[in-house]
Amino acid sequence: MEWTRGPTIGRGSSATVSAAISHGTGEAFAVKSAELSKSGLLQREQRILSSLDSPRVVGYVGFDITEENNRQMYNLFMEYVDGGTLADEIRRHGGRMEEPAVAFYTGQIVKGLEYIHSIGVAHCDIKARNILIGGGGAKIADFGCAKRVSGGVDDLAAAGIGGTPMFMAPEVAVGEEQGCAADIWAVGCSAIEMATGGSPWPVVGDPVSLLYRIGFSGESPEVPDFLSGEGKDFLSKCLRRDPKERWTAKELLKHPFLAESDSIQKQLPDFNSTSPTSVLLDHGVWNSLEEPETQKTRQNSPEKRVEQLASSSPVPDWRWDENWITVRRHN
């Protein structure tokens, strides 16, 4: 596939996420890239993401290896979701969300977890920055820490412990285990993050002190007093220190706190699209067959389609510049 790489829209410790567009189809997508020699984690993420298929999980598009600036790059192609992250959504709500919005997004995260847990995958890094928001709601993204937790021998099972300390469950903080129950703890922490606009734990000086507190203090994150009784009870089911006592995602979906969550979607911001295809189609990129040939050619060029996408999607801001690089599959 021939495609064009755009500006960086995200950056991690081992990979960079860029906007991209396909020359052949005109579809926008996101590409997560790392140097081939350092791409072991990204290749592991590709193997997991390619096995998933759920509306509550960011879509897998494909992968390739390219030659760029005399370096071989491993590229993981993913669905482009145009509303930014859940952390961005919290800011759009003024720094904290009202309880109905917390319930709505929490419910969608739990639906995604119920699916991936059912096929033996734990995400291991649930937090607002790893949840993408589009017109259809929330999608779990960034499977860089994910691993297989059941069924047969798999090289993914040796992934070890990873994630973000502030959202780690007690059993993870002490290095004992990291499985599906740890994702449920992180759901509780993320709901607090949405409701308060702050971290689930008081800020401490260093990660070691934080992990010690999570693992050995016997405490759980403080549940906000202003939540309803149902909201508090829901969080109590997520934030039990014993992982065996935490509710599963399947059980949480039946909790009253989430029972009516889908009904409030119409009250939330309506983003223009939910997929790479509709980003372009909904804004009429090919909506006129009456134009002169020269105009149609420019309209259908990758550069013009990117300009259309940039002008129609306020988050993230895809300002057009001269830094786009055309790349081709490396054989």
Side-chain angles (χ1 to χ4, degrees):
M1 175 175 69
E2 190 171 321
W3 51 283
T4 299
R5 184 192 300 279
T8 298
I9 56 177
R11 194 182 301 276
S13 59
S14 60
T16 299
V17 182
S18 305
I21 199 163
S22 167
H23 289 192
T25 66
E27 291 185 3
F29 57 94
V31 55
K32 190 172 185 178
S33 303
E35 286 193 53
L36 182 61
S37 61
K38 305 174 183 178
S39 65
L41 292 176
L42 189 56
Q43 293 187 46
R44 186 163 61 80
E45 181 176 0
Q46 182 274 333
R47 291 195 292 271
I48 287 186
L49 191 60
S50 65
S51 70
L52 306 179
D53 183 14
S54 167
R56 301 275 67 88
V57 174
V58 67
Y60 171 74
V61 176
F63 78 98
D64 75 358
I65 298 172
T66 56
E67 188 84 24
E68 301 177 45
N69 299 321
N70 297 317
R71 297 183 303 166
Q72 284 190 308
M73 304 295 293
Y74 185 91
N75 306 295
L76 170 59
F77 304 146
M78 301 169 289
E79 174 184 11
Y80 171 69
V81 185
D82 63 344
T85 69
L86 183 54
D88 298 323
E89 181 74 348
I90 294 171
R91 287 191 288 272
R92 285 193 288 264
H93 279 255
R96 55 173 296 269
M97 293 181 170
E98 298 298 325
E99 187 165 322
V102 175
F104 173 73
Y105 288 118
T106 300
Q108 296 206 319
I109 295 168
V110 174
K111 285 179 182 178
L113 288 177
E114 194 278 331
Y115 164 72
I116 69 171
H117 291 174
S118 72
I119 61 173
V121 172
H123 183 274
C124 303
D125 199 17
I126 292 292
K127 58 183 178 181
R129 291 188 180 277
N130 286 341
I131 307 297
L132 299 179
I133 304 297
K139 293 174 180 280
I140 300 173
D142 198 341
F143 284 76
C145 293
K147 61 181 179 179
R148 306 283 183 186
V149 294
S150 64
V153 177
D154 195 312
D155 64 337
L156 304 177
I161 286 176
T164 305
M166 192 68 72
F167 297 84
M168 283 183 176
E171 68 274 15
V172 182
V174 299
E176 291 178 352
E177 60 178 309
Q178 185 172 30
C180 297
D183 285 345
I184 301 302
W185 176 279
V187 166
C189 293
S190 299
I192 293 174
E193 182 183 15
M194 285 184 264
T196 67
S199 64
W201 292 96
V203 176
V204 296
D206 62 90
V208 174
S209 298
L210 174 62
L211 290 175
Y212 184 86
R213 179 171 183 174
I214 295 171
F216 297 103
S217 70
E219 302 173 13
S220 295
E222 183 177 354
V223 175
D225 288 336
F226 55 80
L227 289 181
S228 67
E230 289 180 348
K232 292 176 181 176
D233 185 71
F234 177 87
L235 289 179
S236 74
K237 303 299 191 290
C238 298
L239 297 173
R240 294 177 175 176
R241 290 188 60 85
D242 185 343
K244 296 181 176 62
E245 294 181 1
R246 278 176 225 141
W247 280 26
T248 65
K250 187 174 183 179
E251 290 171 328
L252 289 175
L253 288 174
K254 299 176 182 178
H255 193 280
F257 180 63
L258 302 184
E260 304 298 326
S261 60
D262 284 343
S263 66
I264 73 160
Q265 182 172 5
K266 60 185 178 182
Q267 304 171 29
L268 300 175
D270 181 23
F271 297 102
N272 290 323
S273 64
T274 58
S275 70
T277 302
S278 59
V279 164
L280 299 175
L281 294 179
D282 288 352
H283 298 289
V285 174
W286 301 292
N287 62 355
S288 175
L289 298 178
E290 313 299 327
E291 298 172 339
E293 185 64 29
T294 55
Q295 175 64 23
K296 286 199 298 181
T297 301
R298 181 171 181 269
Q299 185 84 342
N300 283 324
S301 70
E303 291 80 6
K304 182 59 180 177
R305 288 195 286 271
V306 170
E307 290 181 64
Q308 291 276 346
L309 181 60
S311 64
S312 64
S313 181
V315 179
D317 182 7
W318 286 22
R319 298 184 190 276
W320 175 255
D321 59 29
E322 300 301 322
N323 295 325
W324 294 72
I325 305 167
T326 298
V327 295
R328 293 173 174 78
R329 184 184 304 278
H330 176 77
N331 293 322

